[in-house]
């Protein structure tokens, strides 16, 4: 069950373990001519783009995707050029919703969260409150934060501190 | 009360009660602390830094150099608040600084009698041997600024990162015009202004006569608001300008908004593609005897107090100027009913604008004159005017309003590396050229006329637009106000002044004309040396009003042009910034990101005392009942040696390395080889940096021919991952390898002790556990208490040990099951303190404890690892350097205590006591120590010069409690044959 960290008219934050999470890495010296395909979600070609629904994949780096809601396949079921690792237990999710969601994110990360820049379908790994996080934009006012499990208590405390201030200041 | 007019910014129908130094006063809504004090006729607001002379308000904005006060509203205390910027709130208690019992009557004023003993370089000349420590506390407590009371509640800052195409700093006429021009091109524009309202100096030019300036400001703001990509940030002061167009600014929220959860301040970090600095200029004072008397004020400030706050700073005023701008102030004051006695103008022929205003307003001009003296110790009572061809003239007055021209606010421009040049017309330093990404506009460039400012703003905006690939903007409408010509006559000091020790250059730091000249005589003639020797331009004021005057007097003393004298280096922050705001949330529990173990709550329930280890909160020991720390640690050590212990080793790094070239990569990274490592086997290895020094150690397991699990030491996974990726991406991109850090995805538990195998079997696993099936340094996968598990037989304790990794989400359940299963065998949880002592018995290396950044594998006895390795690895070449193979290197050894004393202190020095007396030569240091619970005597590891050669020697140690004796031996004290861990 998601745990409510903050709830105000313009900002709602919930923490949960989330669903299946897989890191998919390309093993090779150069991206192949044909885009790698898997038996699962389509892998976005464009950097920092994310698919929709589940399973969905987001491209975090030149040879790195992060896949949500997809059972990590065994190595022998993958193209030899891909390396999949189940990281479901290593990351915790924070869902952030509301008109002030972007303000809250911009309080912790130097990424440009403007509505016409960080549009739905954008995802990237970046610094968030001095830790590493993957931030996915699922809707105009809906974001998911994937945070290293060991930092989740710290990030939850940070969000609990900052959210009321953002809610008050706008 | 001196509020004689209806100020445009205050609402006098709403009185605001407040206190100043215990006096109950009343201000008006919209007042600053400074305007409210002036409205109440308060002339002395503080005492000077060194000499405790009475000081009054001299300015109306950021350039104020005297009126630093403490404000308290409710529980909120602001130390060193600038009275000219602090907004008055009901019930506010304002206290002066540098004064006791009050600013009006200060016992420290006696210091002024001893001014001759406090010249430039006072601190350097005073804090000398002998005995300077005797009087240092008294001097320091008498100087300095305010202190934040310990009882002050924590502030509530917030941070905000932002991006834009064009950032305009300064909301005056140039800033407004520039921002609007860029906004009209559809760009994302952010405009920041330090004051609560936009408009800058234009706001107070609308005096008794409505010039339409406020309407122009409102029109610009309406136009800006109509552009959806424009962000307007009033109350936001830019404090620093950093590389790559990053501007830091502090937004101070209105007092009435700060209740509850609302933050006090917000730190903005704005990254802009182009920055336009329209930071304006501030009026500077003139240097003449007793120019620090309360009532000596900048002419522009008097105009602002009158037009903005309705406060007349005088009943009868004398002006002293070297330019035309003071005449506009004189006219406004006269229209408001202030008696303007005369304008002393050091120019022989004042400008046409000046003469016209004086004629129209019937104000007497005294050309070619200057102020020779000021009467009134506690406030101006009159001025002596002298000049060529004039008889010395005394004029009664209660304010002396001065204007020495305007100083462009170039600090931010200089923060980012901008060069300055001296502009003779405005007698000030202005930006020399525009830099990549940074432009300047308006008064910062020395302009003062509204039409020139509008044209300059358009030029800057067009330049920014061109750089961003846009066409030119429409010319803006210039602000409809009369403003002075920027020309000033350079006038820096009173000719032949015999009282230079009373002619203040820097009011904020009590630096006089005599101080500057003394510094030059004592050879502190560089501008940077002058600053440090005299404190000119230091402190929160940053020399805003004093810099140019100081430099000019310095140049006169040196006989050099001002342009050659140069300026000091401006550094952030532009104004005093609260450390709490800069730190934002990084204090208290959130001071640094903390990493928690997957089973953190279980450890807490077991009584764990947590400590920070490389960012991880780990159990140091488990407090059982009333047993003190030492007893708890000893019990944990004994449990492992005799029965079995449970240790949470989750922070051990776990990097999955996979690919056809994974073996090649690790062969190059590790000093020892991995090629011979079979799937299912584990090997201890070390990695070196390019210099041949130990970087990290740990175990690597081969899961499959092309798949490895690399285990960096605890907390080192991010660093090692970055190291591997750097080599992979920058040096060896042709290697087909991918690396994923799964440290947090797995919880790791170590079961160590003679009963470990039985415990694991009883807990339930499908992995064959016999020594034959699962030998030491082997890796297996299977199920443990129903969880998917990766199990390694490795040992850091010297006992039979299984390191079990399970998905982190299963950590608590698996831990519960193991603890339950181990209870009959005497299983106890073991903290890191005991764990590290166990490894000392065994002589196992702990990187960072037993090594430093210059330790080689040979220094710690690991040269054998790579002795037969044919292939190259990182650091190998450096290992052959003469310095790394020369005799005399510190080598890791064991120390067996022979004096029957307790364990040696870590850090104890091994000394050469063959030569009597001190100082004695230090031969090495104890790096790890323990009581040797199962060994029978205290043990220690040390790095000792040529240590291995000294085996068998008895050495002397100084451990802070006396001289100790220990025998040098091998580092392994326990189970040297390895029978226990191999069981």
């Amino acid at each position: 069950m998601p745990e409510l960290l903050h709830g105000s008219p313009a900002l709602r934050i919930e923490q949960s373990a989330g669903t299946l999470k897989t890191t998919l890495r390309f093993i090779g010296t150069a991206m192949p001519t044909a885009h790698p395909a898997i038996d699962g979600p389509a892998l976005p070609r464009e950097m920092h783009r994310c698919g929709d629904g589940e399973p969905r994949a987001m491209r975090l780096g030149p040879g790195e995707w992060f896949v949500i809601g997809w059972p990590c396949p065994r190595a022998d079921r993958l193209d030899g050029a891909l390396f999949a690792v189940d990281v479901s237990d290593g990351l915790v999710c924070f869902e952030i919703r509301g008109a002030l969601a972007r303000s809250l994110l911009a309080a912790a990360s130097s990424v440009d969260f403007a509505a016409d820049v960080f549009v739905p379908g954008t995802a990237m790994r970046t610094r968030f409150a001095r830790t590493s996080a993957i931030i996915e934009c699922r809707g105009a006012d809906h974001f998911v934060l994937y945070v290293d499990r060991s930092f989740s208590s710290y990030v939850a405390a940070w969000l609990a501190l900052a959210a009321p201030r953002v809610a008050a200041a706008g | 009360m001196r509020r004689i007019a209806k100020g445009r910014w205050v609402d006098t129908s709403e009185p605001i009660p407040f206190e100043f130094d215990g006096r109950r006063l009343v201000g008006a809504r919209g007042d600053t602390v400074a305007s409210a004090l002036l409205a109440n006729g308060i002339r002395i607001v503080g005492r000077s830094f060194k000499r405790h002379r009475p000081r009054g308000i001299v300015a109306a904005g950021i350039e104020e150099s005297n009126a630093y006060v403490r404000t308290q509203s409710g529980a909120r205390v602001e130390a060193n608040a600038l009275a000219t910027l602090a907004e008055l709130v009901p019930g506010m208690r304002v206290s002066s600084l540098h004064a006791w019992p009050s600013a009006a009557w200060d016992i420290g004023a006696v210091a002024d009698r001893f001014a001759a003993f406090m010249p430039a370089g006072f601190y350097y000349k005073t804090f000398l041997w002998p005995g300077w420590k005797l009087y240092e506390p008294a001097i320091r407590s008498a100087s300095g600024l305010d202190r934040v009371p310990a009882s002050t509640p924590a502030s509530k800052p917030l941070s905000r990162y932002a991006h834009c195409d064009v950032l305009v700093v300064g909301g005056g006429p140039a800033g407004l015009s520039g921002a609007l021009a860029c906004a009209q091109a559809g760009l994302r524009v952010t405009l920041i202004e330090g004051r609560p309202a936009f408009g800058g100096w234009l706001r107070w030019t609308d005096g008794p006569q409505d010039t339409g300036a406020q309407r122009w400001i409102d029109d610009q703001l309406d136009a800006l608001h109509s552009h959806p990509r424009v962000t307007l940030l009033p109350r936001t002061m830019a404090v620093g300008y950093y590389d790559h167009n990053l501007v830091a600014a502090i937004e101070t929220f209105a007092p009435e908004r700060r209740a509850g959860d609302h933050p006090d301040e917000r730190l903005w970090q704005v990254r802009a593609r182009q920055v336009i600095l329209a930071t304006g200029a501030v009026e500077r004072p003139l240097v003449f005897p007793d120019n620090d008397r309360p009532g000596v004020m900048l002419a522009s400030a008097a105009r602002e107090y009158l037009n903005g706050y309705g406060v007349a700073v005088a009943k009868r005023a004398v002006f002293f100027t070297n330019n035309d701008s003071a005449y506009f102030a004189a006219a406004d004051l006269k229209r408001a009913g202030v008696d303007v006695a005369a304008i002393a103008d050091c120019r022989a022929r004042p400008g046409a604008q000046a003469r016209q205003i004086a004629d129209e307003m019937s104000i007497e001009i005294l050309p070619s004159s200057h102020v020779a003296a000021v009467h009134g110790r506690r406030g101006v009572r009159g001025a002596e005017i002298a000049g060529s061809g004039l008889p010395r003239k005394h004029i009664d007055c209660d304010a002396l309003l001065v204007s020495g021209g305007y100083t462009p606010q170039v600090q931010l421009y200089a923060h980012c590396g901008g060069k300055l040049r001296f502009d003779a017309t405005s007698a000030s330093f202005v930006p020399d050229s525009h830099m990549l990404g940074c432009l300047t506009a308006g008064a910062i460039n020395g302009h003062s006329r509204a039409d020139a400012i509008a044209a300059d703003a358009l030029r800057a905006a067009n330049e920014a637009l061109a750089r961003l690939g846009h066409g030119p903007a429409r010319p803006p409408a210039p602000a409809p106000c009369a403003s002075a010509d920027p020309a000033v006559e350079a006038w820096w000091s009173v000719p032949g002044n015999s009282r230079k020790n009373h002619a203040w250059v820097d009011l904020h730091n009590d630096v006089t004309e005599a101080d500057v000249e003394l510094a030059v005589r004592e050879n502190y003639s560089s501008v940077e040396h002058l600053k440090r020797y005299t404190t000119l331009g230091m402190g929160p004021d940053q020399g805003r009003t004093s810099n140019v005057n100081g430099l000019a007097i310095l140049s006169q003393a040196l006989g050099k042009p001002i342009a050659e004298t140069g300026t000091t280096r401006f550094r952030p922050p532009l104004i005093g910034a609260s450390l709490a705001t800069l730190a934002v949330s990084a204090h208290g529990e959130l001071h640094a990101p903390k990493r928690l173990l997957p089973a953190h709550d279980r450890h807490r329930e077991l009584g764990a005392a947590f400590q920070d280890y490389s960012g991880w909160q780990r159990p140091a020991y488990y407090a059982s009942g009333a047993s003190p720390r030492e007893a708890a640690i000893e019990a944990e050590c004994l449990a492992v040696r005799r029965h079995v212990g449970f240790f949470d080793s989750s922070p051990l790094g776990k990097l999955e390395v996979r690919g056809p070239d994974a073996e090649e990569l690790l062969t190059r990274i590790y000093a020892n080889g991995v090629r011979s490592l079979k799937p299912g086997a584990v090997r201890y290895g070390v990695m070196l940096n390019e210099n041949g020094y130990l970087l990290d150690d740990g175990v690597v397991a081969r899961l499959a021919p092309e798949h490895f699990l690399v285990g960096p030491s605890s907390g080192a996974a991010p660093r090692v991952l970055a190291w591997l990726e750097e080599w992979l991406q920058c040096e060896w991109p042709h290697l087909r390898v991918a690396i994923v850090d799964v440290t947090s995805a797995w919880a790791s538990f170590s079961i160590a002790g003679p009963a470990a195998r039985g415990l694991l079997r009883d807990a339930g696993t499908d992995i064959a556990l016999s020594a034959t099936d699962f030998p030491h340094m082997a890796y297996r996968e299977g199920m443990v208490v129903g969880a998917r598990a990766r199990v390694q037989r490795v040992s850091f304790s010297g006992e039979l040990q299984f390191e079990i990794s399970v998905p982190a989400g299963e950590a608590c359940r698996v831990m519960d099951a193991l603890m339950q299963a181990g209870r009959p065998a005497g299983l106890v949880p073991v903290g890191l303190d005991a764990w590290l002592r166990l490894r000392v018995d065994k002589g196992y290396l702990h990187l960072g404890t037993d090594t430093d950044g210059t330790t080689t594998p040979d220094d710690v006895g690991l040269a054998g690892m790579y002795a037969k390795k044919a292939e190259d690895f990182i650091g190998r070449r450096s290992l052959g350097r003469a310095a790394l193979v020369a005799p005399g290197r510190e080598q890791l050894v064991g120390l067996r205590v022979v004096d029957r004393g307790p364990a040696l202190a870590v850090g104890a020095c091994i000394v050469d006591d063959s030569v009597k007396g001190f100082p004695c030569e230090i031969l090495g240091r104890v790096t790890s120590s323990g009581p040797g619970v199962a060994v029978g005597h205290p043990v220690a590891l040390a790095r000792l010069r040529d240590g291995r050669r000294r085996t068998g020697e008895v050495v002397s140690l100084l451990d802070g409690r006396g001289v100790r004796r220990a025998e040098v031996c091998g580092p392994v004290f326990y189970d040297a044959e390895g029978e226990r861990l191999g069981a």
Side-chain angles (χ1 to χ4, degrees):
Chain A
M1 279 289 289
E3 179 188 355
L4 181 66
L5 289 181
H6 177 85
S8 57
L11 194 57
R12 184 177 179 85
I13 307 171
E14 291 176 330
Q15 178 180 355
S16 70
T19 180
L20 296 170
K21 299 176 271 293
T22 300
T23 288
L24 197 60
R25 294 292 305 268
F26 175 73
I27 305 172
T29 56
M31 290 296 286
T33 311
H35 197 61
I38 56 173
D39 182 16
L43 299 181
R45 298 183 66 93
E46 193 181 342
M47 197 69 78
H48 301 144
R49 295 302 301 162
C50 180
D52 199 11
E54 282 193 12
R56 64 182 183 279
M58 46 195 93
R59 189 168 185 190
L60 302 180
E64 181 180 3
W65 291 266
F66 181 58
V67 190
I68 296 296
W70 183 55
C72 181
R74 284 173 29 173
D76 57 6
R77 298 193 59 189
L78 274 178
D79 180 344
L82 290 173
F83 173 31
V85 180
D86 183 355
V87 291
S88 302
D89 285 276
L91 296 168
V92 170
C93 299
F94 294 91
E95 293 225 27
I96 303 171
R97 291 184 172 86
L100 290 175
R102 291 177 188 274
S103 296
L104 178 69
L105 294 172
S109 175
S110 61
V111 168
D112 189 351
F113 289 107
D116 56 350
V117 177
F118 208 87
V119 298
T122 305
M124 65 176 63
R125 177 183 284 124
T126 183
R127 299 285 288 172
F128 184 88
R130 298 187 293 157
T131 66
S132 173
I134 297 167
I135 304 176
E136 178 191 10
C137 181
R138 302 219 57 201
D141 294 336
H142 180 194
F143 298 83
V144 185
L145 216 61
Y146 303 92
V147 176
D148 185 290
R149 180 190 195 94
S150 63
F151 285 120
S152 61
S153 290
Y154 162 79
V155 172
W158 190 95
L159 290 168
L161 180 84
R165 296 181 188 178
V166 170
Chain B
M1 294 287 285
R2 289 191 165 188
R3 210 181 298 270
I4 63 168
K6 185 180 181 306
R8 292 177 180 273
W9 311 336
V10 292
D11 179 0
T12 51
S13 67
E14 191 175 335
I16 305 288
F18 73 106
E19 282 185 18
F20 176 68
D21 278 353
R23 284 183 62 186
R24 294 184 177 180
L25 306 169
V26 177
R29 183 174 180 78
D31 261 331
T32 62
V33 168
S35 67
L37 289 172
L38 289 168
N40 282 276
I42 302 294
R43 307 190 79 176
I44 301 174
V45 298
R47 291 281 167 161
S48 70
F49 188 70
K50 280 198 304 191
R51 290 164 63 168
H52 283 249
R53 285 168 67 93
R55 288 287 168 78
I57 293 164
V58 295
I62 189 177
E63 69 274 28
E64 172 61 39
S65 47
N66 284 337
Y68 284 84
V69 294
R70 173 190 288 191
T71 63
Q72 181 170 4
S73 49
R76 178 187 160 87
V77 176
E78 189 172 351
N80 302 318
L82 205 49
T84 50
L85 299 181
E87 295 169 63
L88 193 70
V89 296
M92 177 179 267
R93 293 164 63 187
V94 182
S95 314
S96 56
L97 306 181
H98 302 146
W100 188 85
S102 69
W105 301 103
D106 172 34
I107 200 165
V110 69
D112 197 28
R113 307 276 182 196
F114 302 98
F117 299 101
M118 292 187 288
F122 169 70
Y123 290 99
Y124 305 102
K125 292 165 179 167
T126 307
F127 290 167
L128 296 174
W129 181 92
W132 63 273
K133 285 189 173 180
L134 293 176
Y135 44 82
E136 183 206 7
I139 291 173
R140 291 208 185 280
S141 66
S143 60
L145 291 171
D146 199 9
R147 292 188 178 134
V148 181
S151 58
T152 305
S155 61
K156 298 168 293 179
L158 186 62
S159 63
R160 178 70 181 259
Y161 295 89
H163 298 254
C164 59
D165 295 317
V166 180
L167 171 67
V168 181
V169 181
L176 287 168
S177 299
L180 184 56
C182 294
Q184 285 166 343
L187 296 178
R188 190 149 54 131
V189 176
T190 298
L191 172 62
I192 62 177
E193 162 60 41
R195 302 294 287 267
F198 290 92
W201 59 270
L202 267 184
R203 295 179 69 223
W204 40 264
T205 56
D206 263 353
Q209 285 185 319
D210 184 352
T211 62
Q214 188 59 50
R215 281 196 301 280
W216 182 88
I217 295 168
D218 294 340
D219 289 346
Q220 306 301 302
L221 289 172
D222 287 345
L224 284 165
H225 279 301
S226 70
H227 292 281
R229 303 189 80 203
V230 170
T231 302
L232 299 178
L233 294 174
R235 301 175 177 276
T236 306
M237 188 75 76
V239 294
Y241 188 174
Y242 304 91
D243 289 347
H244 309 297
N245 269 8
L246 177 72
V247 174
I250 294 175
E251 178 181 12
T252 304
F253 290 102
E256 63 271 18
R257 293 183 64 188
R258 295 176 193 157
D261 287 323
H262 200 288
D264 316 296
E265 293 184 327
R266 176 157 51 189
L267 174 65
W268 286 83
Q269 294 175 74
V270 186
R271 184 81 67 181
R273 296 169 70 193
Q274 292 291 318
V275 172
I276 297 177
L277 294 175
T279 45
V282 297
E283 196 166 37
R284 61 175 173 261
L286 290 163
V287 179
F288 53 87
D290 291 323
N291 61 342
D292 69 328
R293 295 299 192 203
V296 178
M297 181 182 276
L298 295 172
S300 63
R303 194 180 181 197
E304 182 170 345
Y305 284 119
L306 177 68
N307 294 339
Y309 303 97
V311 174
V313 299
K315 293 176 181 167
R316 180 176 167 81
V318 168
F319 283 75
F320 178 27
T321 185
N322 65 353
N323 67 88
D324 287 356
S325 71
Y327 288 75
F328 290 83
D332 278 359
L333 261 65
K334 182 137 191 181
R335 286 190 196 101
V338 174
D339 180 7
V340 178
I343 298 178
D345 196 321
C346 61
R347 298 173 294 180
R349 184 172 172 75
Q353 284 176 306
R355 294 196 307 275
Q356 183 182 346
I357 290 171
D359 287 346
E360 288 174 2
M361 301 303 299
S362 302
I363 299 173
E364 181 187 9
I365 302 177
L366 302 174
S368 300
S369 65
H370 61 264
V371 176
V374 180
H375 296 289
R377 179 171 171 76
R378 298 176 57 81
V380 172
R381 285 189 286 108
E384 297 281 340
I385 309 296
S388 58
L390 283 176
R392 194 171 174 116
K393 182 176 183 179
H394 174 91
I395 304 176
D396 286 335
C397 60
D398 57 355
L400 183 52
L401 306 177
V402 300
S403 176
Y406 281 80
T407 301
Q409 293 301 281
V410 295
Q411 292 92 336
L412 289 172
Y413 173 79
H415 287 177
C416 62
K419 303 297 179 196
L420 305 175
R421 66 175 170 83
F422 188 74
D423 174 42
T425 303
S426 59
S428 60
F429 286 91
V430 296
D432 190 21
S433 59
H434 290 155
M435 299 176 295
L436 191 66
C438 176
L439 298 148
T440 54
I444 188 177
N445 289 331
H447 298 294
S448 63
R449 298 181 64 94
D451 53 351
I453 286 173
D456 199 42
L458 178 66
R459 177 202 51 74
N462 281 339
E463 178 76 30
L465 290 168
R467 291 178 181 182
L468 297 174
H470 291 259
R474 292 197 302 270
C481 77
S483 45
D485 191 85
V488 304
E489 181 168 297
W491 191 94
W492 305 116
S493 58
V494 173
N497 179 18
S498 60
R499 299 182 65 235
K500 290 180 177 177
N501 197 29
H502 288 77
W504 266 262
V505 180
D506 184 343
L507 293 168
H508 187 61
N509 294 294
D510 250 356
V511 180
T512 64
E513 185 181 355
D515 290 328
V516 176
E517 293 185 351
L518 177 62
V520 173
R521 288 200 302 278
E522 294 183 342
N523 208 27
Y524 292 92
S525 52
S526 149
V527 65
E528 294 286 3
H529 291 164
L530 174 76
K531 174 178 176 177
R532 282 148 188 85
Y533 197 60
T534 63
T535 68
L536 174 74
M538 295 173 78
D541 170 77
Q542 294 280 290
R544 269 182 277 278
T545 53
S546 61
N547 230 324
V548 172
N549 285 335
L551 297 173
I553 292 170
L554 172 66
S555 68
Q556 283 179 346
L558 293 173
K560 291 199 301 191
I562 297 175
E564 289 182 23
T565 307
T567 65
T568 52
R569 174 85 187 185
F570 300 106
R571 293 184 177 86
L574 179 69
I575 61 166
S578 153
L579 288 176
T581 301
L582 298 179
V584 197
S585 58
H587 59 85
E589 280 298 299
L590 298 178
H591 177 258
K594 287 179 180 170
R595 307 186 78 171
L596 301 191
L597 301 170
H600 180 85
D601 291 343
R602 288 292 188 278
H603 293 293
R604 194 178 54 205
E605 290 162 13
L606 289 169
F610 290 97
Q611 283 190 10
D612 184 289
Y613 294 92
S614 302
W616 287 85
Q617 299 299 301
R618 305 184 70 176
Y621 63 95
Y622 294 82
S624 51
S627 67
R629 175 187 175 125
E630 273 304 315
I633 295 169
E634 184 175 334
E636 291 167 19
C637 289
L638 284 172
V640 174
R641 292 283 182 246
R642 295 172 181 170
H643 309 293
V644 62
F646 173 96
F647 176 73
D648 193 329
S649 49
S650 300
L652 281 171
K654 302 166 199 75
L655 305 179
E656 294 209 25
V657 181
R658 187 180 187 114
D661 295 322
E663 180 185 290
E664 177 65 25
L665 171 70
L666 297 180
T667 299
R668 297 179 186 188
I669 291 290
Y670 278 103
N672 48 316
V674 298
R675 290 201 193 282
S676 59
L677 192 65
K678 301 281 189 291
V682 178
R683 182 169 293 168
Y684 172 77
V686 295
M687 52 183 75
L688 317 180
N689 63 19
E690 302 96 320
N691 300 312
Y693 300 133
L694 287 165
L695 181 74
D696 194 47
D697 68 343
V699 296
V700 54
R702 191 164 204 161
L703 313 190
E706 296 183 357
H707 192 183
F708 293 82
L709 183 62
V710 170
S713 52
S714 292
R719 181 164 51 90
V720 172
L721 175 64
W723 177 250
L724 295 178
E725 287 287 2
E726 181 179 342
W727 284 98
L728 201 53
Q729 294 179 29
C730 302
E731 304 296 332
W732 307 320
H734 56 283
L735 293 184
R736 297 161 298 166
V737 187
I739 308 168
V740 178
D741 182 356
V742 295
T743 302
S744 294
W746 298 84
S748 298
F749 303 129
S750 294
I751 306 295
R757 182 176 287 118
L759 185 160
L760 191 52
R761 187 179 294 129
D762 294 346
T765 178
D766 60 357
I767 300 172
L769 297 176
S770 72
T772 310
D773 294 325
F774 196 171
H776 184 56
M777 301 306 279
Y779 169 91
R780 300 288 184 266
E781 292 180 2
M783 301 298 286
V784 173
V785 294
R788 183 166 55 95
R790 291 172 161 180
V791 185
Q792 299 184 52
R793 267 203 65 185
V794 291
S795 182
F796 197 52
S797 61
E799 301 291 344
L800 169 66
Q801 181 177 324
F802 295 90
E803 187 180 292
I804 307 155
S805 295
V806 296
E810 301 255 35
C812 290
R813 188 185 66 77
V814 171
M815 180 175 168
D816 290 344
L818 291 171
M819 295 298 292
Q820 178 75 20
R823 193 166 295 158
L827 177 74
V828 300
V830 177
L832 195 58
D833 282 1
W835 203 245
L836 291 174
R837 285 189 185 177
L838 293 168
R839 68 95 198 172
V840 176
D841 295 352
K842 189 65 182 168
Y844 284 149
L845 188 68
H846 190 233
L847 245 70
T849 300
D850 300 312
T851 65
D852 60 22
T854 62
T855 305
T856 68
D858 183 54
D859 294 339
V860 293
L862 296 177
M865 274 186 167
Y866 51 84
K868 294 181 179 175
K869 184 175 178 179
E871 294 167 286
D872 204 1
F873 56 88
I874 294 170
R876 175 159 222 168
R877 186 178 173 195
S878 297
L879 290 173
R881 285 187 295 157
L884 300 194
V885 297
R889 289 194 63 81
E890 290 187 351
Q891 296 171 331
L892 188 74
V893 295
L895 291 179
R896 191 192 322 269
V897 174
V898 297
D899 61 7
R900 298 175 183 269
L904 295 166
V906 172
C909 295
I910 305 169
V911 296
D912 179 4
D913 59 356
S914 60
V915 179
K916 299 300 177 190
F918 288 93
C920 47
E921 190 177 1
I922 295 174
L923 303 175
R925 286 173 181 80
V926 173
T927 56
S928 301
S929 178
V933 170
V935 179
H937 56 79
V939 298
L941 300 177
R943 291 218 317 275
L944 175 63
R945 199 181 300 169
D946 292 323
R948 291 195 286 270
R949 189 175 54 77
R950 296 174 186 263
T951 301
E953 287 183 18
V954 174
V955 294
S956 299
L957 299 101
L958 301 177
D959 73 347
R961 289 168 292 192
V963 180
R964 304 291 305 277
R965 304 281 287 171
E967 180 188 343
V968 179
C969 58
V972 183
F973 298 93
Y974 182 74
D975 187 28
E977 291 73 30
E979 291 175 354
R980 296 181 72 90
L981 58 82

